[in-house]
Amino acid sequence: MAGNEDVLLNIDERLFYISNDIDNETMGKVCFNLLFLLQNDDANEEKEKNFERKPVKIYINSYGGSVYDMWSLIDIMLNAKSPVHTYCTGYAMSAAFQIFLAGSKRFATEHSVFMYHQMSWWRSGKYQDIVEDREQMDYMQKAIEEYVTGRTKLTKEDITDIREKKKDFFINPQDALKWGIIDEIL
């Protein structure tokens, strides 16, 4: 077993536990080790006729963090040939919520909580810098909204309402089941 305060993992058991912030260091460690597992699966599939891809289990207990760093893990998960299951064991909020949604199967414990909200961005600078940042913000917010509506039963209207009211949208496991955020309450 290896890890730091942000990522605990057991490659042999195909088990990851993400806590703390979603940032470059944390996502770098998770992505590197996940890619290692997936590449081993690809190689084993080429060698073994009846190779069975076992699920990778990613447990999440995080308040979220960087949108850019979040996408690095999401894209790997969505393109994996091996199943990647996600588990919420306390809270999956903001960027951690989006990562959770990338699971091919998604589970939550009885007392877990999810939270979705519009992205935040802080910037200062010259006028043109802010104009260009605004264009990037609009692009990223649209990408997040399309991703969330594509992976859940939340509608574009639901997501627009959350954004326009500037609210943090907290979701309990029973509602998460109803809105297609999770497949099962553990």
Side-chain angles (χ1 to χ4, degrees):
M1 183 152 66
N4 68 14
E5 72 273 0
D6 298 335
V7 180
L8 300 170
L9 56 103
N10 185 321
I11 295 296
D12 295 333
E13 296 296 321
R14 306 171 70 83
L15 175 69
F16 294 75
Y17 191 90
I18 300 171
S19 62
N20 217 332
D21 293 337
I22 304 302
D23 58 20
N24 185 270
E25 182 180 358
T26 301
M27 291 299 94
K29 289 176 180 162
V30 172
C31 291
F32 177 84
N33 286 287
L34 180 57
L35 286 168
F36 173 80
L37 279 176
L38 298 174
Q39 288 174 351
N40 279 344
D41 286 356
D42 292 345
N44 288 332
E45 188 175 58
E46 286 181 22
K47 288 187 245 173
E48 298 176 33
K49 183 178 181 180
N50 294 319
F51 177 73
E52 180 185 341
R53 290 178 179 266
K54 294 179 181 168
V56 175
K57 297 177 180 179
I58 299 179
Y59 288 79
I60 300 170
N61 190 50
S62 172
Y63 289 114
S66 166
V67 171
Y68 290 111
D69 294 314
M70 148 197 109
W71 285 122
S72 66
L73 178 55
I74 289 171
D75 288 339
I76 292 168
M77 292 169 66
L78 293 177
N79 289 293
K81 292 179 188 173
S82 300
V84 180
H85 298 174
T86 52
Y87 298 79
C88 179
T89 60
Y91 47 92
M93 300 182 179
S94 194
F97 173 69
Q98 269 82 258
I99 291 169
F100 177 84
L101 291 178
S104 55
K105 287 190 179 177
R106 304 183 298 241
F107 306 91
T109 56
E110 182 181 353
H111 298 102
S112 59
V113 65
F114 299 94
M115 191 270 290
Y116 171 79
H117 61 184
Q118 65 183 318
M119 62 178 240
S120 300
W121 193 294
W122 290 271
R123 178 69 162 116
S124 62
K126 295 187 177 8
Y127 173 77
Q128 191 57 39
D129 297 331
I130 294 170
V131 168
E132 291 167 9
D133 284 347
R134 171 63 192 267
E135 291 170 359
Q136 180 62 17
M137 283 179 64
D138 290 343
Y139 170 80
M140 293 300 288
Q141 183 64 38
K142 182 179 180 208
I144 290 169
E145 290 179 6
E146 289 173 354
Y147 170 74
V148 170
T149 57
R151 305 279 306 164
T152 69
K153 293 178 186 172
L154 291 167
T155 66
K156 185 174 173 28
E157 292 76 24
D158 294 329
I159 297 299
T160 300
D161 183 58
I162 293 164
R163 179 176 23 88
E164 289 177 353
K165 290 182 178 172
K166 300 178 189 173
K167 63 184 179 181
D168 291 341
F169 181 56
F170 290 92
I171 309 159
N172 65 47
Q174 294 75 23
D175 287 337
L177 198 56
K178 178 178 73 175
W179 286 318
I181 294 166
I182 64 174
D183 297 303
E184 184 180 338
I185 299 172
L186 301 175

